[in-house]
PDB file of all heavy atoms in Angstrom:
ATOM      1  N   PRO A  36     -13.812   3.493  19.455  1.00  0.00           N
ATOM      2  CA  PRO A  36     -14.184   4.781  18.890  1.00  0.00           C
ATOM      3  C   PRO A  36     -13.227   5.871  19.379  1.00  0.00           C
ATOM      4  O   PRO A  36     -12.891   5.895  20.559  1.00  0.00           O
ATOM      5  CB  PRO A  36     -15.593   5.023  19.400  1.00  0.00           C
ATOM      6  CG  PRO A  36     -16.097   3.691  19.837  1.00  0.00           C
ATOM      7  CD  PRO A  36     -14.889   2.917  20.282  1.00  0.00           C
ATOM      8  N   VAL A  37     -12.797   6.721  18.478  1.00  0.00           N
ATOM      9  CA  VAL A  37     -11.921   7.856  18.822  1.00  0.00           C
ATOM     10  C   VAL A  37     -12.407   9.084  18.075  1.00  0.00           C
ATOM     11  O   VAL A  37     -13.248   8.991  17.164  1.00  0.00           O
ATOM     12  CB  VAL A  37     -10.443   7.575  18.462  1.00  0.00           C
ATOM     13  CG1 VAL A  37      -9.893   6.402  19.252  1.00  0.00           C
ATOM     14  CG2 VAL A  37     -10.277   7.350  16.972  1.00  0.00           C
ATOM     15  N   VAL A  38     -11.896  10.244  18.433  1.00  0.00           N
ATOM     16  CA  VAL A  38     -12.211  11.479  17.740  1.00  0.00           C
ATOM     17  C   VAL A  38     -10.939  11.923  17.020  1.00  0.00           C
ATOM     18  O   VAL A  38      -9.872  11.980  17.615  1.00  0.00           O
ATOM     19  CB  VAL A  38     -12.670  12.570  18.723  1.00  0.00           C
ATOM     20  CG1 VAL A  38     -12.832  13.905  18.002  1.00  0.00           C
ATOM     21  CG2 VAL A  38     -13.958  12.174  19.403  1.00  0.00           C
ATOM     22  N   ILE A  39     -11.064  12.233  15.735  1.00  0.00           N
ATOM     23  CA  ILE A  39      -9.953  12.781  14.977  1.00  0.00           C
ATOM     24  C   ILE A  39     -10.108  14.297  14.984  1.00  0.00           C
ATOM     25  O   ILE A  39     -11.142  14.815  14.512  1.00  0.00           O
ATOM     26  CB  ILE A  39      -9.946  12.230  13.527  1.00  0.00           C
ATOM     27  CG1 ILE A  39      -9.790  10.690  13.558  1.00  0.00           C
ATOM     28  CG2 ILE A  39      -8.819  12.889  12.716  1.00  0.00           C
ATOM     29  CD1 ILE A  39      -9.943  10.028  12.199  1.00  0.00           C
ATOM     30  N   GLU A  40      -9.152  14.988  15.536  1.00  0.00           N
ATOM     31  CA  GLU A  40      -9.222  16.422  15.676  1.00  0.00           C
ATOM     32  C   GLU A  40      -9.475  17.096  14.322  1.00  0.00           C
ATOM     33  O   GLU A  40      -9.026  16.615  13.288  1.00  0.00           O
ATOM     34  CB  GLU A  40      -7.925  16.992  16.235  1.00  0.00           C
ATOM     35  CG  GLU A  40      -7.637  16.571  17.657  1.00  0.00           C
ATOM     36  CD  GLU A  40      -6.318  17.124  18.156  1.00  0.00           C
ATOM     37  OE1 GLU A  40      -5.413  17.416  17.316  1.00  0.00           O
ATOM     38  OE2 GLU A  40      -6.174  17.266  19.363  1.00  0.00           O
ATOM     39  N   GLY A  41     -10.156  18.218  14.386  1.00  0.00           N
ATOM     40  CA  GLY A  41     -10.400  19.004  13.181  1.00  0.00           C
ATOM     41  C   GLY A  41      -9.219  19.881  12.846  1.00  0.00           C
ATOM     42  O   GLY A  41      -8.250  19.984  13.600  1.00  0.00           O
ATOM     43  N   ARG A  42      -9.305  20.534  11.707  1.00  0.00           N
ATOM     44  CA  ARG A  42      -8.238  21.420  11.236  1.00  0.00           C
ATOM     45  C   ARG A  42      -8.188  22.665  12.071  1.00  0.00           C
ATOM     46  O   ARG A  42      -9.228  23.247  12.420  1.00  0.00           O
ATOM     47  CB  ARG A  42      -8.507  21.829   9.787  1.00  0.00           C
ATOM     48  CG  ARG A  42      -8.313  20.742   8.797  1.00  0.00           C
ATOM     49  CD  ARG A  42      -8.500  21.262   7.422  1.00  0.00           C
ATOM     50  NE  ARG A  42      -7.614  22.424   7.236  1.00  0.00           N
ATOM     51  CZ  ARG A  42      -7.162  22.831   6.078  1.00  0.00           C
ATOM     52  NH1 ARG A  42      -7.522  22.230   4.989  1.00  0.00           N
ATOM     53  NH2 ARG A  42      -6.360  23.861   5.989  1.00  0.00           N
ATOM     54  N   THR A  43      -7.001  23.131  12.347  1.00  0.00           N
ATOM     55  CA  THR A  43      -6.814  24.407  13.006  1.00  0.00           C
ATOM     56  C   THR A  43      -5.890  25.292  12.190  1.00  0.00           C
ATOM     57  O   THR A  43      -5.594  26.411  12.570  1.00  0.00           O
ATOM     58  CB  THR A  43      -6.214  24.235  14.433  1.00  0.00           C
ATOM     59  OG1 THR A  43      -4.972  23.555  14.305  1.00  0.00           O
ATOM     60  CG2 THR A  43      -7.150  23.486  15.336  1.00  0.00           C
ATOM     61  N   ASP A  44      -5.431  24.782  11.045  1.00  0.00           N
ATOM     62  CA  ASP A  44      -4.481  25.511  10.229  1.00  0.00           C
ATOM     63  C   ASP A  44      -5.111  26.156   8.988  1.00  0.00           C
ATOM     64  O   ASP A  44      -4.429  26.751   8.178  1.00  0.00           O
ATOM     65  CB  ASP A  44      -3.346  24.596   9.781  1.00  0.00           C
ATOM     66  CG  ASP A  44      -3.848  23.421   8.954  1.00  0.00           C
ATOM     67  OD1 ASP A  44      -5.081  23.160   8.906  1.00  0.00           O
ATOM     68  OD2 ASP A  44      -3.025  22.740   8.328  1.00  0.00           O
ATOM     69  N   GLY A  45      -6.444  26.007   8.844  1.00  0.00           N
ATOM     70  CA  GLY A  45      -7.094  26.546   7.673  1.00  0.00           C
ATOM     71  C   GLY A  45      -7.326  28.044   7.793  1.00  0.00           C
ATOM     72  O   GLY A  45      -7.655  28.558   8.864  1.00  0.00           O
ATOM     73  N   PRO A  46      -7.191  28.769   6.694  1.00  0.00           N
ATOM     74  CA  PRO A  46      -7.368  30.223   6.736  1.00  0.00           C
ATOM     75  C   PRO A  46      -8.822  30.675   6.762  1.00  0.00           C
ATOM     76  O   PRO A  46      -9.102  31.809   7.133  1.00  0.00           O
ATOM     77  CB  PRO A  46      -6.678  30.687   5.472  1.00  0.00           C
ATOM     78  CG  PRO A  46      -6.867  29.552   4.519  1.00  0.00           C
ATOM     79  CD  PRO A  46      -6.765  28.312   5.392  1.00  0.00           C
ATOM     80  N   VAL A  47      -9.743  29.822   6.368  1.00  0.00           N
ATOM     81  CA  VAL A  47     -11.134  30.268   6.218  1.00  0.00           C
ATOM     82  C   VAL A  47     -11.776  30.611   7.557  1.00  0.00           C
ATOM     83  O   VAL A  47     -12.338  31.685   7.727  1.00  0.00           O
ATOM     84  CB  VAL A  47     -11.968  29.223   5.449  1.00  0.00           C
ATOM     85  CG1 VAL A  47     -13.437  29.649   5.412  1.00  0.00           C
ATOM     86  CG2 VAL A  47     -11.435  29.058   4.053  1.00  0.00           C
ATOM     87  N   GLY A  48     -11.704  29.700   8.527  1.00  0.00           N
ATOM     88  CA  GLY A  48     -12.326  29.973   9.830  1.00  0.00           C
ATOM     89  C   GLY A  48     -11.719  31.186  10.514  1.00  0.00           C
ATOM     90  O   GLY A  48     -12.416  32.103  10.953  1.00  0.00           O
ATOM     91  N   THR A  49     -10.399  31.210  10.574  1.00  0.00           N
ATOM     92  CA  THR A  49      -9.710  32.322  11.220  1.00  0.00           C
ATOM     93  C   THR A  49      -9.925  33.624  10.446  1.00  0.00           C
ATOM     94  O   THR A  49     -10.251  34.659  11.028  1.00  0.00           O
ATOM     95  CB  THR A  49      -8.197  32.022  11.324  1.00  0.00           C
ATOM     96  OG1 THR A  49      -8.031  30.798  12.035  1.00  0.00           O
ATOM     97  CG2 THR A  49      -7.469  33.141  12.040  1.00  0.00           C
ATOM     98  N   GLY A  50      -9.756  33.544   9.123  1.00  0.00           N
ATOM     99  CA  GLY A  50      -9.903  34.747   8.286  1.00  0.00           C
ATOM    100  C   GLY A  50     -11.303  35.313   8.317  1.00  0.00           C
ATOM    101  O   GLY A  50     -11.521  36.513   8.486  1.00  0.00           O
ATOM    102  N   ALA A  51     -12.304  34.447   8.135  1.00  0.00           N
ATOM    103  CA  ALA A  51     -13.693  34.904   8.144  1.00  0.00           C
ATOM    104  C   ALA A  51     -14.061  35.464   9.513  1.00  0.00           C
ATOM    105  O   ALA A  51     -14.717  36.506   9.607  1.00  0.00           O
ATOM    106  CB  ALA A  51     -14.635  33.755   7.779  1.00  0.00           C
ATOM    107  N   GLY A  52     -13.629  34.788  10.574  1.00  0.00           N
ATOM    108  CA  GLY A  52     -13.910  35.295  11.926  1.00  0.00           C
ATOM    109  C   GLY A  52     -13.266  36.635  12.173  1.00  0.00           C
ATOM    110  O   GLY A  52     -13.863  37.528  12.770  1.00  0.00           O
ATOM    111  N   ALA A  53     -12.041  36.805  11.679  1.00  0.00           N
ATOM    112  CA  ALA A  53     -11.331  38.084  11.875  1.00  0.00           C
ATOM    113  C   ALA A  53     -12.025  39.210  11.138  1.00  0.00           C
ATOM    114  O   ALA A  53     -12.160  40.328  11.655  1.00  0.00           O
ATOM    115  CB  ALA A  53      -9.893  37.947  11.411  1.00  0.00           C
ATOM    116  N   ILE A  54     -12.478  38.927   9.935  1.00  0.00           N
ATOM    117  CA  ILE A  54     -13.188  39.946   9.153  1.00  0.00           C
ATOM    118  C   ILE A  54     -14.488  40.369   9.840  1.00  0.00           C
ATOM    119  O   ILE A  54     -14.748  41.555  10.052  1.00  0.00           O
ATOM    120  CB  ILE A  54     -13.451  39.469   7.716  1.00  0.00           C
ATOM    121  CG1 ILE A  54     -12.128  39.364   6.957  1.00  0.00           C
ATOM    122  CG2 ILE A  54     -14.441  40.389   6.989  1.00  0.00           C
ATOM    123  CD1 ILE A  54     -12.234  38.636   5.637  1.00  0.00           C
ATOM    124  N   VAL A  55     -15.275  39.386  10.200  1.00  0.00           N
ATOM    125  CA  VAL A  55     -16.547  39.677  10.876  1.00  0.00           C
ATOM    126  C   VAL A  55     -16.300  40.392  12.193  1.00  0.00           C
ATOM    127  O   VAL A  55     -16.956  41.389  12.521  1.00  0.00           O
ATOM    128  CB  VAL A  55     -17.389  38.388  11.068  1.00  0.00           C
ATOM    129  CG1 VAL A  55     -18.590  38.633  11.959  1.00  0.00           C
ATOM    130  CG2 VAL A  55     -17.811  37.835   9.729  1.00  0.00           C
ATOM    131  N   GLY A  56     -15.342  39.889  12.977  1.00  0.00           N
ATOM    132  CA  GLY A  56     -15.029  40.508  14.271  1.00  0.00           C
ATOM    133  C   GLY A  56     -14.500  41.929  14.104  1.00  0.00           C
ATOM    134  O   GLY A  56     -14.829  42.816  14.891  1.00  0.00           O
ATOM    135  N   GLY A  57     -13.690  42.156  13.067  1.00  0.00           N
ATOM    136  CA  GLY A  57     -13.140  43.492  12.833  1.00  0.00           C
ATOM    137  C   GLY A  57     -14.227  44.486  12.460  1.00  0.00           C
ATOM    138  O   GLY A  57     -14.240  45.627  12.949  1.00  0.00           O
ATOM    139  N   ILE A  58     -15.150  44.044  11.618  1.00  0.00           N
ATOM    140  CA  ILE A  58     -16.269  44.910  11.231  1.00  0.00           C
ATOM    141  C   ILE A  58     -17.140  45.227  12.448  1.00  0.00           C
ATOM    142  O   ILE A  58     -17.510  46.373  12.692  1.00  0.00           O
ATOM    143  CB  ILE A  58     -17.086  44.277  10.085  1.00  0.00           C
ATOM    144  CG1 ILE A  58     -16.243  44.244   8.822  1.00  0.00           C
ATOM    145  CG2 ILE A  58     -18.391  45.021   9.875  1.00  0.00           C
ATOM    146  CD1 ILE A  58     -16.843  43.407   7.702  1.00  0.00           C
ATOM    147  N   ALA A  59     -17.446  44.174  13.212  1.00  0.00           N
ATOM    148  CA  ALA A  59     -18.282  44.390  14.393  1.00  0.00           C
ATOM    149  C   ALA A  59     -17.577  45.270  15.395  1.00  0.00           C
ATOM    150  O   ALA A  59     -18.193  46.185  15.969  1.00  0.00           O
ATOM    151  CB  ALA A  59     -18.646  43.041  15.036  1.00  0.00           C
ATOM    152  N   GLY A  60     -16.271  45.069  15.607  1.00  0.00           N
ATOM    153  CA  GLY A  60     -15.522  45.845  16.580  1.00  0.00           C
ATOM    154  C   GLY A  60     -15.357  47.288  16.171  1.00  0.00           C
ATOM    155  O   GLY A  60     -15.262  48.181  17.010  1.00  0.00           O
ATOM    156  N   SER A  61     -15.338  47.553  14.862  1.00  0.00           N
ATOM    157  CA  SER A  61     -15.160  48.937  14.401  1.00  0.00           C
ATOM    158  C   SER A  61     -16.399  49.787  14.651  1.00  0.00           C
ATOM    159  O   SER A  61     -16.342  51.002  14.551  1.00  0.00           O
ATOM    160  CB  SER A  61     -14.824  48.958  12.904  1.00  0.00           C
ATOM    161  OG  SER A  61     -15.934  48.557  12.134  1.00  0.00           O
ATOM    162  N   ASN A  62     -17.502  49.164  14.975  1.00  0.00           N
ATOM    163  CA  ASN A  62     -18.721  49.893  15.277  1.00  0.00           C
ATOM    164  C   ASN A  62     -18.828  50.281  16.736  1.00  0.00           C
ATOM    165  O   ASN A  62     -19.830  50.853  17.145  1.00  0.00           O
ATOM    166  CB  ASN A  62     -19.958  49.064  14.865  1.00  0.00           C
ATOM    167  CG  ASN A  62     -20.032  48.915  13.358  1.00  0.00           C
ATOM    168  OD1 ASN A  62     -19.779  49.867  12.628  1.00  0.00           O
ATOM    169  ND2 ASN A  62     -20.377  47.724  12.903  1.00  0.00           N
ATOM    170  N   VAL A  63     -17.785  49.960  17.509  1.00  0.00           N
ATOM    171  CA  VAL A  63     -17.785  50.289  18.924  1.00  0.00           C
ATOM    172  C   VAL A  63     -16.987  51.583  19.141  1.00  0.00           C
ATOM    173  O   VAL A  63     -15.896  51.730  18.611  1.00  0.00           O
ATOM    174  CB  VAL A  63     -17.131  49.139  19.747  1.00  0.00           C
ATOM    175  CG1 VAL A  63     -16.980  49.538  21.192  1.00  0.00           C
ATOM    176  CG2 VAL A  63     -17.933  47.868  19.595  1.00  0.00           C
ATOM    177  N   GLY A  64     -17.517  52.482  19.868  1.00  0.00           N
ATOM    178  CA  GLY A  64     -16.811  53.711  20.215  1.00  0.00           C
ATOM    179  C   GLY A  64     -16.721  54.686  19.052  1.00  0.00           C
ATOM    180  O   GLY A  64     -17.386  54.547  18.039  1.00  0.00           O
ATOM    181  N   GLY A  65     -15.829  55.644  19.189  1.00  0.00           N
ATOM    182  CA  GLY A  65     -15.611  56.633  18.145  1.00  0.00           C
ATOM    183  C   GLY A  65     -14.161  57.033  18.101  1.00  0.00           C
ATOM    184  O   GLY A  65     -13.387  56.781  19.031  1.00  0.00           O
ATOM    185  N   GLY A  66     -13.711  57.642  17.017  1.00  0.00           N
ATOM    186  CA  GLY A  66     -12.314  58.076  16.868  1.00  0.00           C
ATOM    187  C   GLY A  66     -11.366  56.898  16.955  1.00  0.00           C
ATOM    188  O   GLY A  66     -11.527  55.872  16.314  1.00  0.00           O
ATOM    189  N   SER A  67     -10.333  57.054  17.827  1.00  0.00           N
ATOM    190  CA  SER A  67      -9.339  55.993  17.984  1.00  0.00           C
ATOM    191  C   SER A  67      -9.933  54.755  18.637  1.00  0.00           C
ATOM    192  O   SER A  67      -9.403  53.652  18.482  1.00  0.00           O
ATOM    193  CB  SER A  67      -8.134  56.495  18.795  1.00  0.00           C
ATOM    194  OG  SER A  67      -8.535  56.831  20.105  1.00  0.00           O
ATOM    195  N   GLY A  68     -11.026  54.921  19.364  1.00  0.00           N
ATOM    196  CA  GLY A  68     -11.723  53.773  19.971  1.00  0.00           C
ATOM    197  C   GLY A  68     -12.244  52.813  18.909  1.00  0.00           C
ATOM    198  O   GLY A  68     -12.317  51.605  19.129  1.00  0.00           O
ATOM    199  N   ARG A  69     -12.627  53.345  17.746  1.00  0.00           N
ATOM    200  CA  ARG A  69     -13.120  52.498  16.664  1.00  0.00           C
ATOM    201  C   ARG A  69     -11.987  51.595  16.145  1.00  0.00           C
ATOM    202  O   ARG A  69     -12.192  50.428  15.856  1.00  0.00           O
ATOM    203  CB  ARG A  69     -13.663  53.359  15.521  1.00  0.00           C
ATOM    204  CG  ARG A  69     -14.969  54.030  15.862  1.00  0.00           C
ATOM    205  CD  ARG A  69     -15.423  54.925  14.723  1.00  0.00           C
ATOM    206  NE  ARG A  69     -15.809  54.169  13.553  1.00  0.00           N
ATOM    207  CZ  ARG A  69     -17.051  53.871  13.240  1.00  0.00           C
ATOM    208  NH1 ARG A  69     -18.032  54.269  14.033  1.00  0.00           N
ATOM    209  NH2 ARG A  69     -17.311  53.176  12.168  1.00  0.00           N
ATOM    210  N   ALA A  70     -10.772  52.176  16.033  1.00  0.00           N
ATOM    211  CA  ALA A  70      -9.634  51.409  15.539  1.00  0.00           C
ATOM    212  C   ALA A  70      -9.277  50.307  16.527  1.00  0.00           C
ATOM    213  O   ALA A  70      -9.026  49.158  16.148  1.00  0.00           O
ATOM    214  CB  ALA A  70      -8.436  52.311  15.281  1.00  0.00           C
ATOM    215  N   VAL A  71      -9.259  50.648  17.801  1.00  0.00           N
ATOM    216  CA  VAL A  71      -8.973  49.656  18.841  1.00  0.00           C
ATOM    217  C   VAL A  71     -10.043  48.569  18.838  1.00  0.00           C
ATOM    218  O   VAL A  71      -9.746  47.375  18.911  1.00  0.00           O
ATOM    219  CB  VAL A  71      -8.851  50.322  20.248  1.00  0.00           C
ATOM    220  CG1 VAL A  71      -8.760  49.269  21.339  1.00  0.00           C
ATOM    221  CG2 VAL A  71      -7.662  51.250  20.285  1.00  0.00           C
ATOM    222  N   GLY A  72     -11.300  48.991  18.738  1.00  0.00           N
ATOM    223  CA  GLY A  72     -12.395  48.024  18.683  1.00  0.00           C
ATOM    224  C   GLY A  72     -12.276  47.101  17.485  1.00  0.00           C
ATOM    225  O   GLY A  72     -12.534  45.909  17.586  1.00  0.00           O
ATOM    226  N   ALA A  73     -11.857  47.649  16.346  1.00  0.00           N
ATOM    227  CA  ALA A  73     -11.685  46.830  15.146  1.00  0.00           C
ATOM    228  C   ALA A  73     -10.584  45.777  15.330  1.00  0.00           C
ATOM    229  O   ALA A  73     -10.750  44.628  14.969  1.00  0.00           O
ATOM    230  CB  ALA A  73     -11.381  47.714  13.937  1.00  0.00           C
ATOM    231  N   VAL A  74      -9.471  46.193  15.928  1.00  0.00           N
ATOM    232  CA  VAL A  74      -8.353  45.263  16.152  1.00  0.00           C
ATOM    233  C   VAL A  74      -8.765  44.182  17.133  1.00  0.00           C
ATOM    234  O   VAL A  74      -8.566  42.981  16.894  1.00  0.00           O
ATOM    235  CB  VAL A  74      -7.107  46.014  16.652  1.00  0.00           C
ATOM    236  CG1 VAL A  74      -6.034  45.048  17.127  1.00  0.00           C
ATOM    237  CG2 VAL A  74      -6.566  46.919  15.558  1.00  0.00           C
TER     238      VAL A  74
END
Side-chain angles (χ1 to χ4, degrees):
V37 298
V38 173
I39 299 173
E40 293 178 336
R42 288 184 55 155
T43 58
D44 61 347
V47 174
T49 303
I54 291 168
V55 170
I58 292 169
S61 69
N62 292 319
V63 174
S67 63
R69 289 177 68 98
V71 171
V74 170

